Amino acid sequence: MNRALLRDLYAALAAVLLVTTAALVGRHIQDTEHTLFVAWPPLFATWGPHVGPGTPAALPAAAAVVAYGPVLAARLPWRALLATAWATATAWIVSLALVDGWHLGIANRLATRYEYLQVIDRFHDIPGTLRDFTHHILLGSPDHWPAHVAGHPPAATLTFVLLDRAGLRGGGWAGMWCVVVGATACVAVLVAVRALAGEGLARRAAPFLVLAPAAVWLGTSADAYFAAVAAWAVALLALAVTGRSLWWAAGSGLLFGLTCYLSYGLTLFAVIGAAVLLLGRGRVRERPLLLVPLVAGFAVVPTVFTVAGFDWWEAYRLLVTRYDQGAGGIRPYGYWVWANLACTVLITGLATAAGLRRTAVTLVRRDDGTRLAVLVAAALLALLAADLSGMSKAETERIWLPFAMWLLPSCAFLTRPRAWLAAQAVLALLLNHLLHTGW
């Protein structure tokens, strides 16, 4: 065993120790002080070993990616690889979700009392509801919004309202929308990595993006949809700064604007966007006009919502108060500020822990993969900012899915990819079959 591989294993072991410590300390705090508001710390989950209709599909899907993923990623034509990655990621997410059955795993996820589908009927007058949106954020307000509706700008809820208006009603359609769209996040990340760091690293990262343990929460969560929108915003920006296309820049700006109106916390994607501009600074200097459609595109969604009467800044101020009114105001910051990182280990896997170690080494040595390392480091910086903010105490295995997708490409630096992929698959299967991860 060479020294680099041994250090990778040490990094993975450190990640295991972090998760174990978070579980033991969290169990003690919850049993003695009852302030964590999670049943199986650090995850928002309950213990419950089970199998389901998705089990027979999940096992061979995982085995196939482990056995053939690296070879196919290296040999398939690029467009075929993207299509295969999306299809395989979708199958992996759906099979894991169906371990809990269609109703619990997909159809009911977005229909609980905390979720978006509960308020569809209150958007019969969309402009009027947007004008009145901030009046229902606080718990003491009349007909206050459910937790997830209050916790996000209205573009999140409005997405499901528009699906309903289009005839795609109910939790099944909403759930599959999140799964199918969410699975494209891995494609967006591959597009960005290829544009910024080269096709070789993108191909090496592909199986890890497909087989991520994050799939347990990508099916089914609205955050999967948010992750895809944010990922495509970055991907289009990467294409713009490497291909000098004004249309790519405009599309990127439009999606960045939408991202900010899907989740307040995803404004931190500005850090990743800045890293893309840094990596593409040569082309931006050659054609600074690219920034004009980028900014113009970004202004579209905020302008539409502001004209409609929604005040983003006022809503965020009220959300901070609402957060403190609920469990967020009780959950101890001193525990979650590091236990959140244990949740990140569980959604990105031990391979990513080792990949991040190699990312740090690459940054220090300025090796061939430095451009990818910069992109991954920016994502990690954004995640750490979210952590330190104190507005992400618990449930980050779901909330941080958009950031997690950009940590996974660090696995491209690893040797022996099949062994690491096997570890990723085993972790995801164990999580999904031993725990009930609803929220």
Side-chain angles (χ1 to χ4, degrees), residues 166-366:
L168 305 179
R169 300 182 176 89
W173 284 110
M176 287 307 299
W177 164 268
C178 292
V179 168
V180 173
V181 175
T184 69
C186 75
V187 178
V189 175
L190 289 176
V191 169
V193 171
R194 180 184 188 238
L196 296 169
E199 188 170 318
L201 286 171
R203 288 179 177 275
R204 289 177 62 84
F208 291 96
L209 284 158
V210 168
L211 204 61
V216 174
W217 291 273
L218 289 168
T220 304
S221 162
D223 294 88
Y225 160 52
F226 305 160
V229 174
W232 281 109
V234 175
L236 294 186
L237 182 58
L239 292 175
V241 300
T242 55
R244 294 184 289 178
S245 169
L246 299 181
W247 289 109
W248 291 130
S252 173
L254 184 66
L255 291 182
F256 268 118
L258 176 58
T259 296
C260 294
Y261 278 73
L262 290 173
S263 173
Y264 298 103
L266 295 187
T267 54
L268 288 170
F269 257 73
V271 176
I272 304 176
V276 174
L277 291 175
L278 174 66
L279 293 172
R281 62 190 180 278
R283 294 291 179 91
V284 175
R285 287 170 183 165
E286 292 174 7
R287 198 175 187 186
L289 187 63
L290 279 171
L291 298 177
V292 175
L294 176 66
V295 174
F298 178 82
V300 171
V301 173
T303 299
V304 169
F305 276 92
T306 301
V307 170
F310 172 73
D311 187 333
W312 191 98
W313 293 103
E314 174 66 8
Y316 179 71
R317 183 186 68 80
L318 292 170
L319 169 64
V320 173
T321 302
R322 167 72 180 263
Y323 189 75
D324 290 335
Q325 288 178 326
I330 301 172
R331 285 170 169 157
Y333 180 86
Y335 170 76
W336 287 110
V337 74
W338 60 271
N340 283 337
L341 302 180
C343 293
T344 305
V345 170
L346 292 172
I347 61 176
T348 59
L350 300 181
T352 303
L356 290 175
R357 185 202 73 81
R358 295 220 176 199
T359 298
V361 171
T362 300
L363 284 173
V364 171
R365 295 179 178 174
R366 296 181 179 272

Side-chain angles (χ1 to χ4, degrees), residues 17-27 36 41-42 335 338-340 342-343:
L17 291 176
L18 175 63
V19 172
T20 302
T21 303
L24 294 176
V25 173
R27 184 74 272 154
L36 297 188
Y335 170 76
W338 60 271
N340 283 337
C343 293

Side-chain angles (χ1 to χ4, degrees), residues 10 48 68 128 182 189 212 248 436:
Y10 286 151
Y68 303 108
V189 175
W248 291 130
H436 291 286

Side-chain angles (χ1 to χ4, degrees), residues 9-90:
L9 294 176
Y10 286 151
L13 178 60
V16 171
L17 291 176
L18 175 63
V19 172
T20 302
T21 303
L24 294 176
V25 173
R27 184 74 272 154
H28 174 73
I29 294 174
Q30 182 62 16
D31 289 344
T32 57
E33 301 178 20
H34 311 290
T35 56
L36 297 188
F37 295 94
V38 294
W40 206 85
L43 297 177
F44 192 88
T46 56
W47 178 258
H50 61 290
V51 295
T55 302
L59 294 174
V65 175
V66 171
Y68 303 108
V71 173
L72 289 176
R75 295 180 180 178
L76 284 174
W78 178 248
R79 291 185 180 181
L81 172 60
L82 295 181
T84 303
W86 172 75
T88 308
T90 301

Side-chain angles (χ1 to χ4, degrees), residues 141-178:
S141 60
D143 297 322
H144 63 262
W145 298 119
H148 287 189
V149 178
H152 295 83
T157 307
L158 193 56
T159 298
F160 300 104
V161 171
L162 295 178
L163 283 175
D164 184 82
R165 296 277 179 89
L168 305 179
R169 300 182 176 89
W173 284 110
M176 287 307 299
W177 164 268
C178 292

